[in-house]
Amino acid sequence: MTFPDEVRYIPSGKVLENIAHLDIKEAAKSLNETQARPGETLIKTIPSALQYITAEVFGMETYESKNSYPLFLFNFLIYCLILLSLYKIAKLLLNNTILALFSILLYCCLVNGYIYIRHTLPYDCSLLIMSYVLLQILKITRDDTFSIKKALILGFIAFFGYVVYPGYILLFTLVFLMFMINKVTKDNFKQRIKYGVFYGIGSVLCLLFFEIIARIGGTSYIQDSITLSKTITQGDFNEGFSFLFKYLYNVESITGIIIIIGIVIFIGGLFYKIFKYEKLTAIHKLFIITALLFIAYASAGYFFHKMIWYGRLLHQFFFILALITTYSLWYLLQNIKYKQIIVLTISSIITLTFIFNLIEYKSYAYPQDIAWNIIKDNPGYELEEVCEYPLLKNMLEYAQEKNNISINNPDKKVIIVNACYYHPFNDKNLYHKYTPNNNMSLLLEKPYFHNYNGYLFEGCNIEQREMYKETNLTIRVYKK
């Protein structure tokens, strides 16, 4: 419960409460309180229900830090299912078990995937659904087992993935295009168009389903989606084409550099195949579509100032980057005698890199966690928040409210510095470092979470990233 977006998890609990009281209209309204993400709200009723149960059993508040394990385990289960789905895709495209396993290891060693296990966000749920649909499409197009029923169902499921997180519109489009062009020939072109139409009908049926639910609650899913599409503007439009490579280098370090090399090699091999008039395989088509979508989105931002990349938006493509990097590596090593040793060496390098990245990532502190621990360890003390910069969000409200904390005792206080969410963070003149009084003792000091590189690529522009690095914020706790 660190980022403003994570507040959207709360409506999942409201949906359960509304259904328990048989209030269907309010349940439908709560389902659509997440800015065009009703699918995510629906899915998250599962961990929300578990948190309600564990809170009752162990006498805790529903959303306090110690009661977050049901949600974390749910996120981890989703992550494991994604790995299973991606492994099957890799095995199908690479046609080699060892290569498929290596691609999954490469994907697992990206901190980008671990970030979303730690937060209540919709990205992995959407990725799981989309990757499942892509897997089924690759199987159907390979075996030529099309049917109207399959097309309708896959279209419905794919759009549900979009309803979970509309930011993955590019992946939704990619999956549909793979449905249309993979293994297409002159002989089956008209038939493929027919099934594509039914795939589209399935998507429309899903859209209508959620629009009807929204109307029952007095809102409109379509209108919410239109409004949301105009809000992807936090960051820097000038990074449209460079953002991916900056992210890989700054956040993923050595593993990111390996992927950048893999991209370059794959592009070189792709042009070689095209110039030689060699037949392109499914993995080449997957990359070409991905590249074109990336260029289109980057152009919309760079030239027309419509869209901006975030780390969460890149997340939808990282499994493809792992696939093509694996393909490129094996292409280079196919005639080398000791290729197994080289692959093992690279595996060891990316694993060690992940461990070091993870150790650094886990060193950062989160205000909610600190607040709950401080409150439990210092009963009778008032909780005061100090922000060294104008805040966007007070991050201690829930802890204060649930523990009935109000400031009325000036002699017994715990002051938490930088338990705030800052955005935008780009004016040095507004930053004022807090200096404690002589009667205060420092209880704790840890790095402020937003200093982590992975978070700096979630809506921050170049100037904001530099200011975070210069100020090097810490979360500090003083006792009076």
Side-chain angles (χ1 to χ4, degrees), residues 57-86:
V57 172
F58 298 107
M60 295 184 288
E61 289 298 330
T62 306
Y63 303 118
E64 74 168 279
S65 298
K66 289 185 178 178
N67 196 39
S68 65
Y69 288 100
L71 177 59
F72 177 84
L73 292 173
F74 177 83
N75 287 350
F76 189 71
L77 175 62
I78 295 295
Y79 180 73
C80 290
L81 292 174
I82 288 172
L83 297 185
L84 180 62
S85 180
L86 298 185

Side-chain angles (χ1 to χ4, degrees), residues 135-147 150 154 179:
L135 175 62
Q136 300 309 312
I137 284 171
L138 290 172
K139 287 180 178 178
I140 290 170
T141 52
R142 179 195 63 186
D143 302 331
D144 195 19
T145 53
F146 288 89
S147 71
K150 287 180 180 178
L154 288 177
F179 181 84

Side-chain angles (χ1 to χ4, degrees), residues 131-188:
S131 64
Y132 169 79
V133 176
L134 177 60
L135 175 62
Q136 300 309 312
I137 284 171
L138 290 172
K139 287 180 178 178
I140 290 170
T141 52
R142 179 195 63 186
D143 302 331
D144 195 19
T145 53
F146 288 89
S147 71
I148 291 174
K149 181 181 177 181
K150 287 180 180 178
L152 283 168
I153 292 173
L154 288 177
F156 189 97
I157 296 173
F159 196 83
F160 179 67
Y162 173 79
V163 171
V164 171
Y165 181 54
Y168 285 179
I169 180 65
L170 297 178
L171 186 55
F172 174 78
T173 305
L174 181 149
V175 169
F176 172 70
L177 291 176
M178 283 299 291
F179 181 84
M180 295 301 297
I181 71 168
N182 192 39
K183 299 288 185 181
V184 69
T185 63
K186 291 181 180 179
D187 296 331
N188 64 15

Side-chain angles (χ1 to χ4, degrees), residues 290-307:
T290 302
L292 291 175
L293 290 173
F294 177 87
I295 292 169
Y297 188 95
S299 299
Y302 188 84
F303 296 110
F304 305 105
H305 289 193
K306 295 294 184 181
M307 302 290 186

Side-chain angles (χ1 to χ4, degrees), residues 412-424:
K412 296 184 70 176
K413 282 186 180 181
V414 171
I415 295 95
I416 302 184
V417 182
N418 288 326
C420 323
Y421 187 84
Y422 304 126
H423 192 86

Side-chain angles (χ1 to χ4, degrees), residues 1 10 51-52 55 60-65 67 368 371-372 375 383 393-405:
M1 306 296 287
I10 307 298
Q51 281 189 284
Y52 272 112
M60 295 184 288
E61 289 298 330
T62 306
Y63 303 118
E64 74 168 279
S65 298
N67 196 39
Q368 289 276 16
W372 281 100
I375 289 167
L383 191 66
K393 176 190 174 187
N394 179 335
M395 305 188 68
L396 304 182
E397 289 177 348
Y398 183 75
Q400 289 172 316
E401 176 192 346
K402 295 303 179 182
N403 288 278
N404 298 314
I405 291 176

